[in-house]
Amino acid sequence: MQILRRIVCLILFPRTELRQIAVEPASVDRLIRHYILPLSLLAPAATAIGMKTFDAAWDPLHGYTVPAEQIYAAAATTLFVSISSVFVLAGIFVVIAPMYGSRRHYPTALAAAAYGAVPVQVAGIALLVPSMIIVSMVALCHTLYLYYAAAAELLEVPADACTEFVGISMVILVVLSIAIGAAVSATGLI
């Protein structure tokens, strides 16, 4: 019940909850078991169910949006990307933190990345209906705010540099994602 309360508070009262998180010891094991893995499962499960249910009709112009035999592969890819992006973002936070006078501490950076991703991961439930992807886009705005607030509260980035810190982190994450995606695609894994 505490986990659900934390998720709701991160969405409704982010600064207050992040201040509470800042005084708690960061536990990588707890973050993985209670937040990263369970929340990362929401979008792939909803995607698979939604594609099986709502994307099953044949469109003469476009065919199937995702062929039936690729639905589970799409869900597995979504799960892998969701989990790995949290860990990669935490690594980016650790690497660029000293540029902003913050210390390098991976468990704290992982907490900032994991708790910041909560709105997008919870919004993954909306993918039961594929056309509801707009909910994820709105949640992305809240996630960016949570990263901003977590940079100040957890990573102790100066308030006037939080926007730049998050912006640079997101650009690096996008560039790494494109590079890794291109490399994986070139090898034929996806």
Side-chain angles (χ1 to χ4, degrees), residues 119-124 126-127 130-145:
V120 166
Q121 291 177 323
V122 169
L127 294 175
S131 62
M132 293 298 292
I133 195 164
I134 191 71
V135 173
S136 294
M137 301 311 291
V138 172
L140 177 61
C141 295
H142 192 52
T143 289
L144 291 174
Y145 173 74

Side-chain angles (χ1 to χ4, degrees), residues 111-169:
Y115 291 129
V118 164
V120 166
Q121 291 177 323
V122 169
I125 295 170
L127 294 175
L128 278 169
V129 180
S131 62
M132 293 298 292
I133 195 164
I134 191 71
V135 173
S136 294
M137 301 311 291
V138 172
L140 177 61
C141 295
H142 192 52
T143 289
L144 291 174
Y145 173 74
L146 272 175
Y147 287 146
Y148 170 85
E153 300 294 336
L154 301 180
L155 303 176
E156 299 170 357
V157 173
D160 61 336
C162 287
T163 303
E164 181 181 324
F165 179 83
V166 172
I168 289 172
S169 298

Side-chain angles (χ1 to χ4, degrees), residues 67-118:
E69 65 273 2
Q70 293 180 5
I71 289 175
Y72 294 116
T77 301
T78 303
L79 177 63
F80 175 75
V81 168
S82 180
I83 292 170
S84 62
S85 64
V86 171
F87 287 100
V88 170
L89 185 60
I92 293 168
F93 286 166
V94 167
V95 169
I96 68 170
M99 294 171 35
Y100 295 92
S102 182
R103 64 189 173 98
R104 289 185 172 179
H105 187 248
Y106 190 79
T108 303
L110 185 61
Y115 291 129
V118 164

